[in-house]
Coordinates of all heavy atoms in Angstrom, one line a residue:
M1 N 0.8 -1.2 0.0 CA 0.0 0.0 0.0 C 0.9 1.3 0.0 O 1.8 1.4 0.8 CB -0.9 0.0 1.2 CG -1.5 1.3 1.6 SD -2.5 1.4 3.1 CE -1.3 0.9 4.3
N2 N 0.7 2.1 -1.0 CA 1.4 3.3 -0.9 C 0.7 4.4 -0.2 O -0.5 4.3 0.1 CB 1.8 3.8 -2.4 CG 0.7 4.2 -3.2 OD1 -0.2 4.9 -2.8 ND2 0.7 3.8 -4.5
D3 N 1.3 5.5 0.1 CA 0.7 6.6 0.9 C -0.5 7.2 0.2 O -1.4 7.6 0.8 CB 1.8 7.6 1.3 CG 1.3 8.5 2.4 OD1 0.8 8.0 3.4 OD2 1.4 9.7 2.2
N4 N -0.4 7.3 -1.1 CA -1.5 7.9 -1.9 C -2.8 7.1 -1.8 O -3.8 7.7 -1.6 CB -1.1 8.0 -3.4 CG -1.1 9.4 -3.9 OD1 -1.3 10.3 -3.2 ND2 -0.9 9.5 -5.2
E5 N -2.6 5.8 -1.9 CA -3.8 4.9 -1.8 C -4.4 5.0 -0.4 O -5.6 5.0 -0.2 CB -3.4 3.4 -2.0 CG -3.1 3.1 -3.5 CD -2.5 1.8 -3.6 OE1 -1.8 1.3 -2.7 OE2 -2.8 1.1 -4.7
F6 N -3.5 5.0 0.7 CA -4.0 5.2 2.0 C -4.8 6.5 2.2 O -5.8 6.5 2.8 CB -2.9 5.1 3.0 CG -3.3 5.5 4.4 CD1 -4.1 4.6 5.2 CD2 -3.1 6.7 4.9 CE1 -4.5 4.9 6.4 CE2 -3.5 7.1 6.2 CZ -4.3 6.2 6.9
Q7 N -4.2 7.6 1.7 CA -4.8 8.9 1.9 C -6.2 8.9 1.2 O -7.1 9.5 1.8 CB -3.9 10.0 1.3 CG -2.7 10.3 2.2 CD -3.0 10.7 3.6 OE1 -4.0 11.3 3.9 NE2 -2.1 10.3 4.5
K8 N -6.3 8.4 0.0 CA -7.6 8.3 -0.7 C -8.6 7.5 0.1 O -9.7 7.9 0.3 CB -7.4 7.7 -2.1 CG -8.7 7.7 -2.9 CD -8.4 7.1 -4.2 CE -9.7 6.9 -5.0 NZ -9.6 6.3 -6.3
S9 N -8.2 6.4 0.6 CA -9.1 5.5 1.4 C -9.5 6.2 2.7 O -10.6 6.2 3.1 CB -8.4 4.1 1.7 OG -8.2 3.4 0.5
F10 N -8.5 6.8 3.4 CA -8.8 7.5 4.7 C -9.7 8.6 4.4 O -10.7 8.9 5.2 CB -7.5 7.9 5.4 CG -7.8 8.3 6.8 CD1 -8.1 7.4 7.7 CD2 -7.7 9.7 7.1 CE1 -8.3 7.8 9.0 CE2 -8.0 10.1 8.4 CZ -8.3 9.2 9.4
Q11 N -9.6 9.4 3.3 CA -10.5 10.5 3.0 C -11.9 10.0 2.8 O -12.8 10.6 3.2 CB -10.0 11.3 1.9 CG -10.7 12.6 1.6 CD -10.7 13.5 2.8 OE1 -9.7 13.7 3.5 NE2 -11.8 14.1 3.1
M12 N -12.0 8.9 2.2 CA -13.4 8.3 2.0 C -14.0 8.0 3.3 O -15.2 8.2 3.6 CB -13.3 7.0 1.1 CG -12.9 7.3 -0.3 SD -12.4 5.8 -1.3 CE -14.1 5.2 -1.6
I13 N -13.2 7.4 4.2 CA -13.7 7.1 5.6 C -14.1 8.4 6.3 O -15.2 8.4 6.9 CB -12.6 6.4 6.4 CG1 -12.2 5.0 5.7 CG2 -13.0 6.2 7.8 CD1 -13.2 3.9 5.8
V14 N -13.3 9.4 6.2 CA -13.6 10.7 6.9 C -14.9 11.2 6.3 O -15.8 11.7 7.1 CB -12.5 11.7 6.7 CG1 -12.9 13.1 7.2 CG2 -11.2 11.2 7.5
E15 N -15.1 11.2 5.0 CA -16.3 11.8 4.4 C -17.6 11.1 4.8 O -18.6 11.7 5.2 CB -16.1 11.9 2.9 CG -15.1 12.9 2.5 CD -14.8 12.9 1.0 OE1 -15.5 12.2 0.2 OE2 -13.9 13.6 0.6
V16 N -17.5 9.8 4.8 CA -18.7 9.0 5.2 C -19.0 9.1 6.7 O -20.1 9.3 7.0 CB -18.5 7.5 4.8 CG1 -19.6 6.6 5.3 CG2 -18.5 7.4 3.3
A17 N -18.0 9.1 7.5 CA -18.2 9.3 8.9 C -18.8 10.6 9.2 O -19.7 10.8 10.1 CB -16.8 9.1 9.7
T18 N -18.3 11.7 8.5 CA -18.9 13.0 8.7 C -20.4 13.1 8.3 O -21.2 13.7 9.0 CB -18.1 14.0 7.9 OG1 -16.7 14.0 8.3 CG2 -18.6 15.4 8.1
Q19 N -20.7 12.4 7.2 CA -22.1 12.4 6.7 C -23.0 11.6 7.6 O -24.2 12.0 7.8 CB -22.1 11.9 5.3 CG -21.5 12.8 4.3 CD -21.5 12.1 2.9 OE1 -22.0 11.0 2.7 NE2 -20.8 12.7 2.0
H20 N -22.6 10.4 8.1 CA -23.4 9.5 8.7 C -23.2 9.3 10.2 O -24.0 8.7 10.9 CB -23.4 8.1 8.1 CG -23.7 8.2 6.6 ND1 -25.1 8.2 6.2 CD2 -23.0 8.2 5.5 CE1 -25.1 8.3 4.9 NE2 -23.8 8.2 4.4
G21 N -22.0 9.8 10.7 CA -21.7 9.6 12.1 C -20.9 8.3 12.3 O -20.5 8.0 13.4
F22 N -20.8 7.4 11.3 CA -20.1 6.1 11.4 C -19.8 5.7 10.0 O -20.2 6.3 9.0 CB -21.0 5.1 12.1 CG -22.3 4.8 11.3 CD1 -22.3 3.7 10.3 CD2 -23.4 5.5 11.4 CE1 -23.4 3.5 9.6 CE2 -24.6 5.2 10.7 CZ -24.5 4.2 9.8
V23 N -18.9 4.6 9.9 CA -18.5 4.1 8.7 C -18.7 2.5 8.8 O -18.2 2.0 9.7 CB -17.1 4.4 8.3 CG1 -16.7 3.8 6.9 CG2 -16.9 5.9 8.3
T24 N -19.3 2.0 7.8 CA -19.3 0.5 7.6 C -19.1 0.2 6.2 O -19.1 1.1 5.3 CB -20.7 -0.1 8.0 OG1 -21.7 0.5 7.2 CG2 -21.0 0.2 9.5
R25 N -18.9 -1.1 5.9 CA -18.7 -1.5 4.5 C -19.9 -1.0 3.7 O -19.8 -0.5 2.6 CB -18.5 -3.0 4.4 CG -18.3 -3.4 3.0 CD -18.0 -4.9 2.9 NE -19.3 -5.6 3.2 CZ -19.5 -6.9 3.0 NH1 -18.5 -7.7 2.6 NH2 -20.7 -7.4 3.2
D26 N -21.1 -1.2 4.2 CA -22.4 -0.8 3.5 C -22.5 0.7 3.3 O -22.9 1.1 2.2 CB -23.6 -1.3 4.3 CG -24.9 -1.2 3.6 OD1 -24.9 -1.7 2.4 OD2 -25.8 -0.6 4.1
S27 N -22.1 1.5 4.3 CA -22.1 2.9 4.1 C -21.2 3.4 3.0 O -21.5 4.3 2.2 CB -21.9 3.7 5.4 OG -20.6 3.5 5.9
L28 N -20.0 2.8 2.9 CA -19.0 3.1 1.8 C -19.6 2.7 0.5 O -19.5 3.4 -0.5 CB -17.7 2.4 2.1 CG -16.8 3.0 3.1 CD1 -15.7 2.1 3.5 CD2 -16.3 4.3 2.7
M29 N -20.2 1.5 0.4 CA -20.8 1.1 -0.8 C -21.9 2.1 -1.3 O -21.9 2.4 -2.5 CB -21.4 -0.3 -0.6 CG -20.4 -1.4 -0.4 SD -21.2 -3.0 0.1 CE -22.3 -3.3 -1.2
K30 N -22.7 2.5 -0.4 CA -23.8 3.4 -0.8 C -23.2 4.8 -1.2 O -23.7 5.4 -2.2 CB -24.8 3.6 0.3 CG -25.6 2.3 0.5 CD -26.6 2.4 1.6 CE -27.4 1.2 1.8 NZ -28.2 1.2 3.1
A31 N -22.3 5.3 -0.5 CA -21.7 6.6 -0.7 C -20.9 6.7 -2.0 O -21.0 7.7 -2.7 CB -20.9 7.1 0.5
Y32 N -20.2 5.7 -2.3 CA -19.3 5.7 -3.5 C -19.6 4.8 -4.6 O -18.9 4.7 -5.6 CB -17.9 5.5 -3.0 CG -17.4 6.6 -2.1 CD1 -17.3 6.5 -0.8 CD2 -17.0 7.8 -2.7 CE1 -16.9 7.6 0.0 CE2 -16.5 8.9 -1.9 CZ -16.5 8.7 -0.5 OH -16.1 9.8 0.2
G33 N -20.7 4.0 -4.5 CA -21.0 3.0 -5.5 C -20.0 1.9 -5.6 O -19.8 1.4 -6.7
L34 N -19.4 1.6 -4.5 CA -18.4 0.5 -4.5 C -19.0 -0.9 -4.4 O -20.2 -1.0 -3.9 CB -17.5 0.7 -3.3 CG -16.7 2.0 -3.2 CD1 -15.9 2.0 -1.9 CD2 -15.7 2.2 -4.4
T35 N -18.3 -1.9 -4.9 CA -18.8 -3.2 -4.6 C -18.4 -3.6 -3.2 O -17.6 -2.9 -2.5 CB -18.0 -4.2 -5.6 OG1 -16.6 -4.2 -5.3 CG2 -18.3 -3.8 -7.0
A36 N -18.9 -4.7 -2.7 CA -18.6 -5.2 -1.4 C -17.1 -5.4 -1.2 O -16.5 -5.0 -0.2 CB -19.4 -6.4 -1.0
M37 N -16.5 -5.9 -2.3 CA -15.0 -6.2 -2.2 C -14.2 -4.9 -2.2 O -13.3 -4.8 -1.4 CB -14.6 -7.0 -3.4 CG -13.2 -7.5 -3.4 SD -12.6 -8.4 -4.8 CE -13.7 -9.9 -4.7
E38 N -14.6 -3.9 -3.0 CA -13.9 -2.6 -3.0 C -14.1 -1.9 -1.7 O -13.1 -1.4 -1.1 CB -14.4 -1.8 -4.1 CG -14.1 -2.2 -5.5 CD -14.9 -1.5 -6.6 OE1 -16.0 -1.1 -6.3 OE2 -14.4 -1.4 -7.7
S39 N -15.3 -2.0 -1.1 CA -15.5 -1.3 0.2 C -14.7 -2.0 1.3 O -14.1 -1.3 2.1 CB -17.0 -1.4 0.5 OG -17.3 -0.7 1.7
S40 N -14.6 -3.3 1.3 CA -13.8 -4.0 2.2 C -12.3 -3.7 2.1 O -11.6 -3.6 3.1 CB -14.0 -5.6 2.1 OG -15.3 -5.9 2.4
Q41 N -11.9 -3.5 0.9 CA -10.5 -3.1 0.6 C -10.2 -1.8 1.2 O -9.1 -1.6 1.8 CB -10.2 -3.2 -0.9 CG -8.7 -3.0 -1.2 CD -8.4 -3.1 -2.7 OE1 -9.3 -3.4 -3.5 NE2 -7.2 -2.9 -3.0
V42 N -11.1 -0.8 1.1 CA -10.9 0.5 1.6 C -10.7 0.4 3.1 O -9.8 1.0 3.7 CB -12.0 1.5 1.3 CG1 -12.0 2.7 2.1 CG2 -12.1 1.8 -0.2
I43 N -11.6 -0.3 3.8 CA -11.5 -0.5 5.2 C -10.3 -1.2 5.6 O -9.6 -0.8 6.6 CB -12.8 -1.3 5.7 CG1 -14.0 -0.4 5.6 CG2 -12.6 -1.7 7.2 CD1 -15.3 -1.1 5.9
R44 N -9.9 -2.2 4.9 CA -8.7 -3.0 5.2 C -7.4 -2.1 5.1 O -6.5 -2.2 6.0 CB -8.5 -4.2 4.2 CG -7.6 -5.2 4.6 CD -7.6 -6.5 3.7 NE -8.9 -6.9 3.4 CZ -9.5 -6.9 2.2 NH1 -8.8 -6.4 1.2 NH2 -10.7 -7.4 2.0
M45 N -7.4 -1.3 4.1 CA -6.2 -0.3 4.0 C -6.1 0.5 5.2 O -5.0 0.8 5.7 CB -6.3 0.5 2.7 CG -5.8 -0.1 1.5 SD -5.7 1.2 0.2 CE -6.2 0.2 -1.2
V46 N -7.2 1.1 5.6 CA -7.2 2.0 6.7 C -6.9 1.2 8.0 O -6.1 1.7 8.9 CB -8.5 2.8 6.9 CG1 -8.5 3.6 8.1 CG2 -8.7 3.7 5.7
M47 N -7.4 0.0 8.2 CA -7.1 -0.8 9.4 C -5.6 -1.2 9.4 O -5.1 -1.4 10.6 CB -8.0 -2.0 9.4 CG -9.5 -1.7 9.7 SD -10.6 -3.1 9.7 CE -10.0 -4.0 11.1
Q48 N -5.0 -1.3 8.3 CA -3.6 -1.7 8.4 C -2.7 -0.6 9.1 O -1.8 -0.9 9.8 CB -3.0 -1.9 7.0 CG -3.5 -3.2 6.4 CD -3.0 -3.4 4.9 OE1 -2.4 -2.5 4.3 NE2 -3.2 -4.6 4.4
K49 N -3.1 0.6 8.9 CA -2.4 1.7 9.5 C -3.0 2.1 10.9 O -2.3 2.5 11.8 CB -2.4 2.9 8.6 CG -1.4 4.0 9.1 CD -1.1 5.0 8.0 CE -0.1 6.0 8.4 NZ 0.3 6.9 7.3
H50 N -4.3 1.9 11.0 CA -5.0 2.3 12.3 C -5.9 1.1 12.7 O -7.1 1.1 12.6 CB -5.9 3.5 12.0 CG -5.2 4.7 11.6 ND1 -4.3 5.4 12.5 CD2 -5.2 5.5 10.5 CE1 -3.8 6.4 11.8 NE2 -4.4 6.5 10.6
P51 N -5.3 0.0 13.2 CA -6.0 -1.2 13.5 C -7.1 -1.0 14.6 O -8.0 -1.8 14.7 CB -4.9 -2.2 14.0 CG -3.7 -1.3 14.3 CD -3.8 -0.1 13.5
D52 N -6.9 0.0 15.4 CA -7.9 0.2 16.5 C -9.1 1.1 16.1 O -10.0 1.3 16.9 CB -7.2 0.8 17.7 CG -6.5 2.2 17.4 OD1 -6.1 2.4 16.2 OD2 -6.3 3.0 18.3
L53 N -9.1 1.6 14.9 CA -10.2 2.5 14.4 C -11.5 1.8 14.3 O -12.5 2.3 14.7 CB -9.7 3.2 13.1 CG -10.7 4.2 12.5 CD1 -11.0 5.4 13.5 CD2 -10.2 4.8 11.2
F54 N -11.5 0.7 13.6 CA -12.7 -0.1 13.4 C -12.9 -1.1 14.4 O -11.9 -1.8 14.8 CB -12.7 -0.7 12.0 CG -13.0 0.2 10.9 CD1 -12.0 1.0 10.3 CD2 -14.3 0.3 10.4 CE1 -12.3 1.9 9.3 CE2 -14.6 1.2 9.3 CZ -13.6 1.9 8.8
K55 N -14.1 -1.2 15.0 CA -14.4 -2.2 16.0 C -15.5 -3.1 15.4 O -16.3 -2.7 14.5 CB -15.0 -1.6 17.2 CG -14.2 -0.5 17.8 CD -13.0 -1.0 18.6 CE -12.3 0.0 19.4 NZ -11.3 0.8 18.7
W56 N -15.6 -4.4 15.8 CA -16.6 -5.3 15.3 C -17.9 -5.0 16.1 O -17.9 -4.9 17.3 CB -16.2 -6.7 15.6 CG -17.2 -7.7 15.1 CD1 -18.1 -8.4 15.8 CD2 -17.4 -8.0 13.7 NE1 -18.8 -9.2 14.9 CE2 -18.4 -9.0 13.6 CE3 -16.8 -7.6 12.5 CZ2 -18.9 -9.5 12.4 CZ3 -17.3 -8.1 11.3 CH2 -18.3 -9.1 11.3
D57 N -18.9 -4.7 15.3 CA -20.2 -4.4 15.8 C -21.1 -5.7 15.7 O -21.4 -6.2 14.6 CB -20.9 -3.3 15.0 CG -22.3 -3.0 15.4 OD1 -22.5 -2.9 16.7 OD2 -23.1 -2.7 14.6
H58 N -21.4 -6.3 16.9 CA -22.2 -7.5 16.9 C -23.6 -7.4 16.4 O -24.2 -8.3 15.9 CB -22.1 -8.1 18.3 CG -20.8 -8.5 18.7 ND1 -20.2 -9.7 18.3 CD2 -19.8 -7.9 19.5 CE1 -19.0 -9.8 18.8 NE2 -18.7 -8.7 19.5
A59 N -24.2 -6.2 16.6 CA -25.5 -6.0 16.1 C -25.7 -6.1 14.6 O -26.6 -6.7 14.0 CB -26.1 -4.7 16.6
S60 N -24.7 -5.4 13.9 CA -24.8 -5.4 12.4 C -23.9 -6.4 11.8 O -23.9 -6.5 10.6 CB -24.4 -4.0 11.9 OG -23.1 -3.7 12.2
L61 N -23.1 -7.1 12.6 CA -22.1 -8.1 12.1 C -21.2 -7.5 11.1 O -21.0 -8.0 10.0 CB -22.8 -9.3 11.6 CG -23.7 -10.1 12.6 CD1 -24.4 -11.2 11.9 CD2 -22.9 -10.6 13.7
S62 N -20.6 -6.3 11.4 CA -19.7 -5.6 10.5 C -18.7 -4.8 11.3 O -18.9 -4.5 12.5 CB -20.5 -4.7 9.5 OG -21.1 -3.7 10.3
H63 N -17.6 -4.4 10.6 CA -16.7 -3.5 11.2 C -17.3 -2.1 11.1 O -17.9 -1.7 10.1 CB -15.3 -3.5 10.5 CG -14.6 -4.7 10.8 ND1 -14.5 -5.8 10.0 CD2 -13.8 -5.0 11.9 CE1 -13.7 -6.7 10.6 NE2 -13.3 -6.3 11.7
R64 N -17.1 -1.3 12.2 CA -17.7 0.0 12.3 C -16.8 1.0 12.9 O -16.1 0.6 13.9 CB -19.0 -0.1 13.1 CG -19.7 1.3 13.3 CD -21.0 1.1 14.1 NE -22.0 0.3 13.4 CZ -23.1 0.8 12.8 NH1 -23.3 2.1 12.9 NH2 -24.0 0.1 12.2
A65 N -16.6 2.1 12.3 CA -15.9 3.2 12.9 C -16.8 4.4 13.2 O -17.6 4.7 12.4 CB -14.7 3.6 12.0
H66 N -16.7 5.0 14.3 CA -17.5 6.1 14.7 C -16.8 7.4 14.4 O -15.6 7.5 14.5 CB -17.9 6.0 16.2 CG -18.8 4.8 16.4 ND1 -20.1 4.8 16.2 CD2 -18.5 3.6 16.9 CE1 -20.7 3.6 16.5 NE2 -19.7 2.9 16.9
L67 N -17.6 8.4 14.1 CA -17.1 9.7 13.8 C -16.1 10.3 14.7 O -15.0 10.7 14.3 CB -18.2 10.8 13.6 CG -17.9 12.2 13.3 CD1 -17.1 12.3 12.0 CD2 -19.1 13.1 13.2
E68 N -16.3 10.2 16.0 CA -15.4 10.8 17.0 C -14.0 10.1 16.9 O -13.0 10.7 17.1 CB -15.9 10.8 18.4 CG -16.5 9.4 18.9 CD -17.9 9.2 18.5 OE1 -18.6 10.0 17.8 OE2 -18.4 8.1 18.9
D69 N -14.0 8.8 16.7 CA -12.7 8.0 16.5 C -12.0 8.4 15.2 O -10.8 8.6 15.2 CB -13.0 6.5 16.6 CG -13.5 6.1 17.9 OD1 -13.2 6.7 18.9 OD2 -14.4 5.2 17.9
V70 N -12.8 8.6 14.2 CA -12.2 9.0 12.9 C -11.6 10.4 13.0 O -10.5 10.6 12.5 CB -13.3 8.9 11.7 CG1 -12.7 9.6 10.5 CG2 -13.7 7.5 11.5
E71 N -12.3 11.3 13.7 CA -11.8 12.6 13.8 C -10.5 12.7 14.6 O -9.6 13.4 14.3 CB -12.8 13.5 14.5 CG -14.0 13.9 13.6 CD -15.1 14.6 14.3 OE1 -15.3 14.5 15.6 OE2 -15.8 15.4 13.7
K72 N -10.4 11.8 15.6 CA -9.1 11.7 16.4 C -8.0 11.3 15.5 O -6.9 11.9 15.6 CB -9.3 10.7 17.6 CG -10.1 11.2 18.7 CD -10.3 10.1 19.8 CE -11.3 10.5 20.7 NZ -11.6 9.4 21.7
K73 N -8.2 10.3 14.7 CA -7.1 9.8 13.8 C -6.8 10.9 12.7 O -5.7 11.0 12.3 CB -7.5 8.5 13.1 CG -7.7 7.4 14.0 CD -6.4 7.0 14.7 CE -6.6 5.8 15.6 NZ -5.5 5.4 16.4
N74 N -7.8 11.6 12.3 CA -7.6 12.6 11.2 C -6.8 13.8 11.7 O -6.2 14.4 11.0 CB -9.0 13.1 10.7 CG -8.9 13.8 9.4 OD1 -8.0 13.5 8.6 ND2 -9.8 14.7 9.2
S75 N -6.9 14.0 13.0 CA -6.1 15.2 13.6 C -4.7 14.9 13.9 O -3.9 15.8 14.3 CB -6.9 15.7 14.8 OG -6.8 14.8 15.8
T76 N -4.3 13.6 13.8 CA -2.9 13.3 14.2 C -2.0 13.2 13.0 O -2.4 13.3 11.9 CB -2.8 11.9 14.9 OG1 -3.4 10.9 14.0 CG2 -3.6 11.9 16.2

């Protein structure tokens, strides 16, 4: 993963979190017209650098990042 790919993926995460208050694979798919695989890849890229950003949500059975956590990572 190069830095450009990470920055693009992280920006997508920031934008979706800002709009919805959280980010999931489904929210990325809807926001950007991504396939499930593409959306998962975006999350995976960001998780490689920030493994604590996404938590497993048992209710939705998906990885989820909340806006306040994304904002903390975005300011560092």
